[in-house]
Amino acid sequence: MAFKIVIPARYASSRLPGKPLLDIAGKPMIQHVYERASESDADSVIIATDDERIEQVASHFGADVCMTAADHRSGTDRLAEVATLRGFADDDIVINVQGDEPCLPALLINQVAADLAEYPQADMASLFSRIKQQKQVFDPNVVKVVMDAQGYALYFSRAPIPWMRDHFDQDKPLPEELPHYRHIGLYGYRASFLKSYADMTPCFLETEESLEQLRTLFHGNKIHMSEALISAGHGVDTEADLIEVRQVFAE
């Protein structure tokens, strides 16, 4: 099954400026992400950026780089521009591999592509994993997702969803298996949907939760979810994450 990967990378991160170029085990983070993506079954891997520093570094290690506008609200908007610039066919499957996921296994990239191909009525596909620690349920940096009986996303939130009224409001022990799922920020799209996404009006939910996928649900489109076959590894959002990932590579 053919699919394409686009890695959106921006320099101006509020918590870690210059994040894609931060060193991990002697390589910039974006190179690790590119190498993980290249281990998948994708027929092409493109780095999408608006920053010449990232473009220069990525070109140096042999990546295909697509320069994009600087005013995109989200990675998905950036991918939409790439789909237009590169002339992707409407039925092309495009995977968004975040530029801060240097540990992401290629197996999960292949899984998302296969899942989207299996569900032609879905506009997007993504992954989830089970939450086993109560503290993650209440952590706003851990995005939660609830799904319907067919595995389509109903809502994503940084808040604890579902709210367990009979447990969270009282001093009752939580059940052994929590009914909460963590969203893994790996997205698959059909190129036709990507092109229409850029024309969708950003919604209040997307802005307030700072979750771009909520624009998709708000406008009535479908996101199919599947449980990740293996761990997604550790992403880099904060300085503490960077220290942990550097330790993983050192070991």
Side-chain angles (χ1 to χ4, degrees):
M1 177 194 57
F3 63 92
K4 305 177 187 301
I5 292 174
V6 180
I7 304 170
R10 66 189 186 93
Y11 193 89
S13 169
S14 58
R15 285 182 286 189
L16 283 175
K19 183 162 62 169
L21 302 185
L22 294 175
D23 180 84
I24 298 175
K27 297 177 183 178
M29 178 165 21
I30 191 66
Q31 184 172 352
H32 288 288
V33 177
Y34 178 80
E35 289 172 353
R36 299 293 80 72
S38 298
E39 291 166 0
S40 74
D41 295 334
D43 54 13
S44 67
V45 180
I46 300 168
I47 293 175
T49 187
D50 58 6
D51 192 279
E52 291 183 359
R53 290 162 291 189
I54 295 174
E55 190 272 339
Q56 289 173 3
V57 170
S59 296
H60 181 71
F61 62 73
D64 179 7
V65 182
C66 182
M67 295 299 290
T68 58
D71 58 351
H72 290 302
R73 296 177 61 96
S74 69
T76 303
D77 290 297
R78 197 175 301 280
L79 263 70
E81 183 182 358
V82 174
T84 299
L85 291 174
R86 293 298 180 94
F88 290 175
D90 283 350
D91 60 352
D92 281 345
I93 288 177
V94 185
I95 307 299
N96 177 347
V97 174
Q98 309 277 8
D100 56 7
E101 295 283 348
C103 303
L104 184 70
L107 175 65
L108 296 186
I109 300 172
N110 293 339
Q111 181 184 351
V112 169
D115 188 59
L116 187 58
E118 186 179 345
Y119 289 87
Q121 62 272 48
D123 302 289
M124 291 176 58
S126 194
L127 300 176
F128 68 87
S129 61
R130 294 177 180 271
I131 292 178
K132 298 180 180 179
Q133 298 178 341
Q134 181 181 350
K135 65 179 182 180
Q136 291 191 337
V137 176
F138 296 93
D139 185 347
N141 294 312
V142 176
V143 178
K144 276 68 68 174
V145 58
V146 290
M147 296 157 284
D148 67 15
Q150 287 72 46
Y152 289 97
L154 291 171
Y155 193 66
F156 299 85
S157 183
R158 299 182 182 278
I161 54 172
W163 179 265
M164 298 174 68
R165 185 191 63 175
D166 293 336
H167 291 275
F168 293 161
D169 286 346
Q170 302 174 40
D171 292 328
K172 287 186 177 180
L174 289 172
E176 211 167 285
E177 186 165 307
L178 293 167
H180 298 91
Y181 301 99
R182 177 177 192 156
H183 176 228
I184 296 170
L186 178 64
Y187 301 107
Y189 321 80
R190 301 183 196 287
S192 56
F193 171 74
L194 264 182
K195 295 169 186 176
S196 64
Y197 179 93
D199 295 327
M200 293 178 183
T201 305
C203 65
F204 171 82
L205 299 173
E206 170 192 1
T207 302
E208 292 305 308
E209 293 255 25
S210 190
L211 296 173
E212 62 190 278
Q213 65 270 34
L214 289 175
R215 192 188 314 180
T216 299
L217 299 184
F218 182 81
H219 289 281
N221 298 93
K222 288 181 171 290
I223 304 175
H224 191 265
M225 307 293 299
S226 59
E227 186 167 7
L229 296 172
I230 58 175
S231 170
H234 207 82
V236 179
D237 289 318
T238 64
E239 185 71 33
D241 293 331
L242 180 62
I243 292 170
E244 186 169 341
V245 168
R246 282 174 170 164
Q247 184 62 34
V248 168
F249 276 86
E251 293 171 354

